[in-house]
Amino acid sequence: MALIKEVRGHEPSVGEGTFLAETAVLLGDVTIGRDCSIWYGAVLRGDVNTITIGDRTNIQDGVVIHTTYDGSKHPSQTHIGNDVSVGHNATIHGAVIGDNCLIGMGSTVLDNAVVPSGCIIAANALVLSNAHLEPNSLYAGVPAKKIREVTPEQREEIILRTARDYMTYASWYGDDTDK
């Protein structure tokens, strides 16, 4: 069973139909929507501020999601939309990710960055603090730069297919939903 722990009076909330891998960690002020999947070794640490995740979003193996404390000079919260895939070993730290995005493996999105709907962040990209990206765009590099627009075909084949595929993968794990 996943580690789910109350911190500072906040207990994680998990939506119906959500798969939590046995080694997933949810701490504090974490809210997860319906039909999501939180995979092995993922850590959602809402101990110092809020983390929210929309519906049908997958947080893949080894992902770390955190925030910056409200009492600090530049606080941050993490908000991730619907139908988002956060790839293996990515780090999201106090950023806003819109609906229908793919955050590539090993990428990092830092405090108060905004990744709007329809974006693809390439593997190992670094989205700097306070960056405000353009919607429906592909970003890559260190620091991440816009490469081009995401086509409707790419949105369907890469972003939405990945989100749907992870709902299927989670269904293979049966009784491990709704923890």
Side-chain angles (χ1 to χ4, degrees):
M1 178 189 266
L3 173 60
I4 301 173
K5 184 173 183 176
E6 179 180 328
V7 178
R8 295 179 50 229
H10 298 282
E11 185 168 347
S13 170
V14 178
E16 183 180 325
T18 291
F19 165 73
L20 300 176
E22 293 88 347
T23 58
V25 177
L26 283 65
L27 304 172
D29 192 2
V30 174
T31 302
I32 299 171
R34 298 172 55 104
D35 301 316
C36 294
S37 57
I38 313 299
W39 292 88
Y40 297 92
V43 177
L44 286 68
R45 208 175 109 208
D47 55 350
V48 299
N49 216 326
T50 301
I51 296 170
T52 60
I53 296 174
D55 298 333
R56 300 170 306 282
T57 289
N58 61 87
I59 307 299
Q60 297 173 21
D61 312 74
V63 169
V64 174
I65 300 176
H66 197 231
T67 62
T68 299
Y69 183 55
D70 261 343
S72 69
K73 186 174 180 181
H74 300 285
S76 65
Q77 298 182 354
T78 296
H79 300 286
I80 300 174
N82 299 320
D83 302 298
V84 174
S85 295
V86 180
H88 311 292
N89 295 312
T91 300
I92 311 277
H93 200 282
V96 175
I97 311 294
D99 295 339
N100 306 312
C101 288
L102 186 139
I103 308 301
M105 295 181 285
S107 62
T108 301
V109 184
L110 294 176
D111 292 286
N112 298 306
V114 176
V115 177
S117 182
C119 282
I120 297 174
I121 306 302
N124 294 310
L126 172 62
V127 178
L128 297 174
S129 294
N130 301 309
H132 288 255
L133 308 185
E134 295 177 33
N136 303 308
S137 299
L138 168 65
Y139 285 82
V142 178
K145 302 274 189 231
K146 181 177 176 180
I147 305 301
R148 61 180 164 70
E149 299 286 317
V150 172
T151 68
E153 295 80 18
Q154 290 170 321
R155 192 168 19 268
E156 178 62 34
E157 180 56 27
I158 298 171
I159 297 172
L160 296 176
R161 181 192 48 80
T162 301
R164 286 190 303 267
D165 286 354
Y166 267 84
M167 289 178 64
T168 298
Y169 305 156
S171 74
W172 299 342
Y173 291 79
D175 295 334
D176 290 337
T177 58
D178 292 328
K179 297 292 184 218

